[in-house]
């Protein structure tokens, strides 16, 4: 099933993200976590892809397994900046063979080696080029990344917004945001992205922080702003793992409910291979999910 068809429905839904194992020996345990997350019946599940190639080996296999074994639509991520055209084209053919219909087209982060090399030697410089090739090569539904707090390499927000628009003009069907901890940043972004003429669905990304150590990692990874309300919660409960987990899930649930109440129908949860977190959020929303409250 194409994700754009899910997004065009008015029912409230959640999607979850999983990441593939680094080693073959961990494949079964990661698939087990994915199976448990799939048993929550999310609208779809996304499977990440390692920019440096490290975790890219199992993305397509996991995406195929989740869709075929557990009947949950999947979104396979694909990055391009550390790959040759030949490698990317092989992946595109592999996805077609595996019946993968949905692709998150990403540039990927610049590795230290890439940063030292001459961009003129890269086969891909930006995600737009990958979007264009995916569009030309098949019937994929294409998602792309966006950054309510501006991509760290961008010179300013206007420039970043116009590059997002380029990805949509090249064929992207929907956007998923970097994690946000303050919904107002997302609502602000929605206003600005519509102003530059992007009309496709935008899925907000929510990361439930369930232990204090995750905070520094999440900030490093995303550069996202942490509101004082969230910092207080980590300061107060951070040393008690059970309390922190409960508080982090409640905070993420509160953000999701606020998004739904403001007309957003699908929210993407960075569930990080944690079925207990996915299940707890689903339970918290049991009387809300699947309903159409639009009047
Ligand atoms: P791009 O869209 O190419 O943008 C990168 C920068 O270049 C931006 O500053 C943009 O404004 C600028 N730019 C774009 N086009 C042009 C142009 N024509 N000229 C000049 N500047 C331009 N990483 C992984 O490795 N694996 C994953 O699975 C993964 N999943 C992600 C999922 C989501 C929802 C998000 C938000 C990020 C994900 N990332 C993942 C991280 C992502 O790879 C990085 O943020 C990366 O640095 C940028 O990727 P992009 O696709 O947004 O790049």
């Amino acid at each position: 099933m194409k994700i754009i068809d899910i997004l065009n429905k008015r029912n409230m839904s959640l999607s979850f993200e999983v990441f593939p194992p680094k080693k073959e020996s961990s494949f079964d345990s990661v698939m087990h976590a994915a199976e448990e997350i799939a048993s929550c019946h999310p609208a779809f599940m996304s499977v990440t892809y390692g920019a440096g190639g490290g975790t890219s080996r199992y993305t397509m296999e996991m995406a195929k397994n989740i869709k075929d074994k557990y009947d949950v639509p999947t979104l396979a991520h694909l990055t391009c900046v550390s790959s040759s055209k030949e490698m990317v084209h092989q992946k595109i053919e592999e996805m077609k063979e595996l019946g993968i219909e949905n692709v998150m087209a990403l540039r990927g982060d610049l590795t230290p080696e890439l940063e030292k090399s001459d961009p003129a030697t890269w086969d891909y410089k930006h995600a737009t080029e990958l979007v264009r090739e995916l569009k030309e090569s098949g019937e994929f539904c294409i998602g792309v990344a966006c950054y309510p707090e501006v991509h760290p390499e961008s010179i300013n927000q206007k420039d970043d917004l116009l590059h997002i628009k380029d990805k949509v003009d090249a064929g992207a069907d929907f956007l998923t945001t970097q994690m946000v901890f303050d919904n107002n940043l997302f609502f602000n972004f929605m206003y600005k992205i519509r102003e530059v003429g992007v009309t496709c669905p935008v899925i907000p990304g929510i990361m439930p922080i369930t232990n204090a150590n995750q905070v520094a990692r999440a900030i490093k990874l995303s550069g996202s702003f942490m509101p004082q309300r969230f910092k207080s919660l980590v300061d107060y409960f951070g040393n008690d793992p059970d309390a922190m987990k409960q508080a982090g899930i409640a905070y993420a649930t509160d953000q999701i409910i606020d998004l739904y109440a403001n007309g957003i129908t699908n929210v993407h949860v960075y569930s990080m291979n944690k079925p207990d977190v996915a299940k707890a959020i689903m339970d918290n929303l049991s009387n809300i999910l699947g309903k159409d409250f639009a009047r």
Side-chain angles (χ1 to χ4, degrees), residues 17 47-52 77-79 104-110 125-128 144-147 151-154 159-160 163-164 166-167 176-179 270:
E17 185 155 298
V47 187
T48 64
Y49 190 93
H77 291 204
L78 181 63
T79 66
M104 185 62 145
L106 299 145
R107 184 198 69 179
D109 281 326
L110 300 179
K125 291 185 191 60
H126 296 291
T128 323
V144 289
C146 63
Y147 304 84
H151 187 273
E153 288 166 39
S154 289
D159 201 60
D160 201 25
H163 290 138
I164 295 167
D166 285 345
K167 295 195 272 193
T176 305
T177 76
Q178 181 59 282
M179 59 187 83
Y270 291 108

Side-chain angles (χ1 to χ4, degrees), residues 207-212 214 240-241 244-246 248-249 274 277:
M207 162 84 95
I209 299 282
T210 52
N211 71 68
Q214 241 181 305
D240 181 326
M244 183 60 224
K245 186 169 167 183
Q246 197 166 45
I249 289 170
K274 291 181 185 160
V277 174

Side-chain angles (χ1 to χ4, degrees), residues 41-53:
H41 306 294
F44 67 89
M45 284 169 70
S46 67
V47 187
T48 64
Y49 190 93

Side-chain angles (χ1 to χ4, degrees), residues 3 59 110 160 169 264 277:
I3 284 168
T59 300
L110 300 179
D160 201 25
D169 291 345
I264 304 299
V277 174

Side-chain angles (χ1 to χ4, degrees), residues 16-280:
F16 290 124
E17 185 155 298
V18 289
F19 58 87
K22 286 203 172 78
K23 295 188 216 129
E24 193 175 347
S25 56
S26 314
F27 187 82
D28 287 347
S29 67
V30 171
M31 269 316 293
H32 182 67
E35 179 180 1
E36 285 193 55
I37 295 175
S39 72
C40 297
H41 306 294
F44 67 89
M45 284 169 70
S46 67
V47 187
T48 64
Y49 190 93
T55 60
S56 58
R57 221 174 119 194
Y58 303 104
T59 300
M60 305 309 164
E61 196 177 338
M62 276 187 73
K64 178 193 159 36
N65 279 355
I66 294 167
K67 125 185 121 54
D68 290 352
K69 290 190 181 163
Y70 316 129
D71 202 23
V72 172
T74 48
L75 170 65
H77 291 204
L78 181 63
T79 66
C80 58
V81 74
S82 10
S83 300
S84 63
K85 290 247 175 204
E86 194 187 349
M87 282 157 74
V88 166
H89 294 171
Q90 266 175 17
K91 285 287 168 194
I92 293 175
E93 286 313 308
E94 188 183 339
M95 288 192 289
K96 285 188 196 168
E97 275 163 31
L98 298 175
I100 292 170
E101 296 176 288
N102 304 294
V103 190
M104 185 62 145
L106 299 145
R107 184 198 69 179
D109 281 326
L110 300 179
T111 59
E113 296 78 50
L114 276 169
E115 274 176 347
K116 278 185 239 142
S117 67
D118 177 2
T121 63
W122 308 348
D123 277 4
Y124 297 89
K125 291 185 191 60
H126 296 291
T128 323
E129 295 152 46
L130 177 60
V131 173
R132 214 166 276 127
E133 289 186 359
L134 283 162
K135 195 73 191 169
E136 278 165 13
S137 70
E139 290 289 297
F140 294 112
C141 168
I142 305 168
V144 289
C146 63
Y147 304 84
E149 297 174 64
V150 184
H151 187 273
E153 288 166 39
S154 289
I155 46 170
N156 58 45
Q157 187 168 35
K158 183 79 196 230
D159 201 60
D160 201 25
L161 290 166
L162 292 173
H163 290 138
I164 295 167
K165 185 171 185 314
D166 285 345
K167 295 195 272 193
V168 176
D169 291 345
D173 297 289
F174 67 93
L175 313 176
T176 305
T177 76
Q178 181 59 282
M179 59 187 83
V180 284
F181 297 96
D182 178 345
N183 288 355
N184 286 332
L185 294 169
F186 173 77
F187 295 133
N188 221 308
F189 174 76
M190 286 302 290
Y191 174 75
K192 290 179 177 160
I193 197 82
R194 297 300 186 228
E195 217 178 31
V196 295
V198 172
T199 56
C200 68
V202 184
I203 311 178
I206 299 295
M207 162 84 95
I209 299 282
T210 52
N211 71 68
N213 300 333
Q214 241 181 305
V215 178
R217 253 182 291 135
I219 296 177
K220 190 166 171 236
L221 191 79
S222 65
S224 301
F225 166 73
M226 301 267 173
Q228 188 53 47
R229 198 166 79 85
F230 183 77
K231 285 187 197 156
S232 306
L233 180 156
V234 180
D235 284 347
Y236 206 79
F237 300 115
N239 289 332
D240 181 326
D242 291 337
M244 183 60 224
K245 186 169 167 183
Q246 197 166 45
I249 289 170
Y251 187 91
T253 305
D254 183 55
Q255 273 193 282
I256 296 167
I257 292 173
D258 180 49
L259 289 162
Y260 287 154
N262 282 283
I264 304 299
T265 49
N266 188 271
V267 179
H268 190 61
V269 179
Y270 291 108
S271 47
M272 311 294 284
N273 298 0
K274 291 181 185 160
D276 50 339
V277 174
K279 281 180 187 169

